[in-house]
Amino acid sequence: MTIERETIITVCCSDIAGQVRGKGFPASDLDNRRRFGVGWTPTNIMINCFGRIPATPFGAEGDLMLVPSPDGDITLDYGDGGAVERIVLGDILSMSGQPWDCCLRSLLKRALRTLKEETGLGLLASFEHEFWLDGGEERPGDSYAASTLRGIEPFIGDFVGALRANAIPPDTFLPEFGPRQYEITVDPAEGLFAADQAVKLREIGRSVARRHGYHLSFSPVVTRGIVGNGVHIHFSLIDAAGKPVAYDPTKPGGLSAVGASFAAGILRHARALCAVTAPSVISYERLKPHSWSAYYANLADRDREALLRICPYPEVEGVDVAKRYNLEFRGADATASPYLQLAMLVFAGLAGIRDSLPAPFISSGDPGTLSDDERAQRGIADLPRSLGEALDALEADADAMAWLGPTLAKAYLMHKRGEMTMAADKDIDELCRIYAGAY
C-alpha cells in the first residue's frame, strides 16, 4: 500500500513562559477535536524558557483539555509542494468544559468581559513587534537603513504574505535602530483577536525564517549593550457602537476623562504589571535609561522613553483623529504571553475607571533629570530594576494578585522565581544567548 502523507495539526496554548506549546493530531480529526480537544496536564504550564520545571504546585496530578478555538487557525502553505504547517490556538478547559484557572486566553476573555459589563466599553489593540534576524547584514551606521533589507527581500515577502494569508492585515515592515533589528506592525483588532494575532505573528515569523535558513529572535536582548526588542502594545477604547471614546480635544494631550482614568490605573499598578509584561531576567537589560524603552512609570506625549506614550496622529484636514488616537504601553516584550499582558493592562485600566482616577501628569523631557521629590509630586514612580523586584511588587499588589486569581498567582510566582534561580549562575552574555534561542 502506498503511504499517503498526512497533515498534522498542532493545537496550542500560549503559556506563562510566553511559549506556544501543544499536541498534534491528524487533520482529518479536526471537527471532532474542536469539541473535545486533546489531553493536557496542569504542570505543563510550569515549563520555563530553559525547558525545566524547577517547582510546580500541581505535581503529576490532574487532567485538562486543550480545545481548538474557532478563530485560532494558522495555515502555512507556500504552494511549492512542501509540507503544509497547521497550528490552531486553543483554550485550556477542565474536564467538565470550564475555563481552567491558569488558561491565559481565558483570563483575557474574563478581563474584556468585565470591562464591557462594568463600563460598556471594548478595547482595540495592536502588538508592535521588534525582532532580530541573523540573515540581515550588519554594518556600521545601518540604523533604519534601507540597505539592511537587501538580501532578505524573499523572507520579508513571505512573512508579510503569510500574515495576510492568515487574516492578519500587515501595516509596516521596517529596519530598526539596532543591528539586524527589524519591526513589523499589523492593523488593530478587538482585544482577544489582537492577542491571537500577536501569538500567530510570532509563530509565523519563526516558521518563515526557518524556511529561509535564518534564525529570528524576539528576545528582549540578543546582544549585550545593544538596544533591545520590545513589544509595544497600542490600545484605545470604544463604546458598544464601535465609536472611539479615548479622545477629547479639549483635554490635555487629547486624552478623554475615561481614557485618562484607564491610563491612571495602569500607572498606579505599573510596578506589578512589569512582572507580567517584562517577565524574564533579561527583560531588565532592556528597560534602562536612554535606550528607547521605559524606565519610569510615566505618561508622556509622543515620547518613546515613556511607559505610556500618547501616539502621534496626522493633524491635517479630513483626518478623524478620534479613530487614530491611541496609547502605547512600552514596558513589554515577547518573553510574555500576549494574553496575560493585555489582560492585566485591561484589569489595571478598569480599576482606574472604577476609582475615577484623575488624569495623570503628562511629563516632558527625561524624568531622570528631576529629583525624587519632583518625580513624586508629578506621580512618576520608578519601574522595577530586576525581575525579582517586579515579582515582589506583584505579590505586594493585592489587586493585581486578585486579577490573576489564587491558583494562577501562586503558579506564576513559583514559575518565575524558578527561572530566576536557574539564571542566577549565568553571566549576561550567556543569558543573551539562551534567551535568543528560546524566543
Side-chain angles (χ1 to χ4, degrees):
M1 180 180 292
T2 302
I3 295 174
E4 294 186 12
R5 179 183 292 167
E6 291 199 41
T7 297
I8 296 297
I9 296 177
T10 307
V11 56
C12 297
C13 61
S14 173
D15 66 9
I16 288 175
Q19 299 286 357
V20 176
R21 310 183 200 273
K23 290 184 177 181
F25 55 84
S28 57
D29 292 346
L30 179 57
D31 288 343
N32 183 56
R33 296 291 183 174
R34 287 201 187 278
R35 182 177 180 189
F36 298 111
V38 298
W40 201 241
T41 304
T43 283
N44 285 352
I45 206 164
M46 301 305 293
I47 303 171
N48 65 21
C49 63
F50 297 98
R52 297 290 184 269
I53 306 174
T56 173
F58 309 111
E61 298 179 348
D63 289 283
L64 300 162
M65 298 186 294
L66 180 50
V67 180
S69 163
D71 305 303
D73 292 46
I74 305 170
T75 301
L76 295 173
D77 181 355
Y78 296 98
D80 58 3
V84 176
E85 183 177 354
R86 294 192 64 183
I87 299 172
V88 185
L89 305 181
D91 299 303
I92 308 175
L93 307 180
S94 70
M95 298 307 292
S96 62
Q98 299 303 307
W100 183 45
D101 291 344
C102 295
C103 175
L104 305 185
R105 193 168 187 270
S106 297
L107 179 71
L108 176 55
K109 289 180 184 179
R110 175 162 61 87
L112 294 168
R113 184 173 61 250
T114 306
L115 176 66
K116 184 175 182 179
E117 289 173 350
E118 293 192 20
T119 68
L121 299 179
L123 188 88
L124 289 178
S126 180
F127 291 73
E128 177 184 296
H129 286 82
E130 296 169 337
F131 63 90
W132 177 90
L133 185 75
D134 67 355
E137 181 182 355
E138 181 177 343
R139 63 181 178 81
D142 64 0
S143 298
Y144 304 109
S147 59
T148 65
L149 303 179
R150 295 182 187 132
I152 62 169
E153 294 94 340
F155 160 77
I156 298 170
D158 282 349
F159 191 1
V160 173
L163 291 176
R164 196 181 300 280
N166 284 277
I168 304 173
D171 180 35
T172 62
F173 187 101
L174 59 142
E176 256 289 350
F177 181 77
R180 299 180 179 178
Q181 185 186 36
Y182 304 90
E183 177 182 287
I184 189 161
T185 66
V186 299
D187 288 350
E190 292 196 27
L192 181 64
F193 298 108
D196 281 343
Q197 287 182 349
V199 177
K200 292 178 182 181
L201 182 148
R202 296 176 195 179
E203 292 306 300
I204 290 170
R206 294 186 184 104
S207 178
V208 174
R210 186 177 186 276
R211 185 172 187 271
H212 285 268
Y214 301 146
H215 175 64
L216 181 155
S217 180
F218 294 102
S219 173
V221 180
V222 174
T223 305
R224 176 167 55 95
I226 300 297
V227 169
N229 299 314
V231 174
H232 304 145
I233 305 174
H234 293 253
F235 60 90
S236 60
L237 298 168
I238 54 174
D239 65 16
K243 179 182 176 182
V245 298
Y247 178 66
D248 183 342
T250 69
K251 302 293 185 182
L255 192 58
S256 69
V258 68
S261 291
F262 196 89
I266 290 173
L267 294 178
R268 182 172 65 180
H269 295 281
R271 288 179 57 79
L273 291 175
C274 282
V276 298
T277 62
S280 71
V281 174
I282 208 76
S283 296
Y284 296 85
E285 289 298 309
R286 173 180 168 266
L287 298 181
K288 293 192 177 257
H290 313 302
S291 60
W292 290 50
S293 64
Y295 197 66
Y296 297 99
N298 63 315
L299 170 69
D301 192 356
R302 311 182 191 193
D303 182 345
R304 288 177 173 83
E305 291 194 345
L307 180 66
L308 276 181
R309 178 173 82 118
I310 299 172
C311 293
Y313 45 82
E315 300 181 66
V316 296
E317 186 178 351
V319 170
D320 186 345
V321 173
K323 287 186 176 180
R324 292 175 175 264
Y325 190 88
N326 68 94
L327 297 180
E328 177 187 27
F329 182 88
R330 297 181 60 84
D333 63 55
T335 61
S337 168
Y339 301 120
L340 182 56
Q341 290 174 321
L342 198 56
M344 294 298 275
L345 289 174
V346 170
F347 278 128
L350 175 58
I353 294 175
R354 281 191 195 121
D355 294 344
S356 300
L357 293 184
F361 178 82
I362 300 178
S363 63
S364 177
D366 179 8
T369 63
L370 304 174
S371 69
D372 291 346
D373 286 343
E374 288 172 327
R375 285 197 295 273
Q377 290 169 7
R378 292 163 172 79
I380 301 174
D382 289 351
L383 293 181
R385 305 308 187 212
S386 68
L387 177 58
E389 190 178 333
L391 293 172
D392 289 345
L394 173 62
E395 192 169 23
D397 189 323
D399 290 335
M401 293 288 281
W403 302 332
L404 292 172
T407 303
L408 178 55
K410 179 180 179 181
Y412 191 84
L413 291 170
M414 186 181 293
H415 182 289
K416 287 298 170 182
R417 284 174 174 151
E419 180 179 332
M420 286 174 52
T421 298
M422 292 192 66
D425 63 347
K426 298 173 175 59
D427 63 25
I428 293 300
D429 290 324
E430 184 177 4
L431 287 173
C432 286
R433 178 184 61 79
I434 292 171
Y435 280 98
Y439 294 97

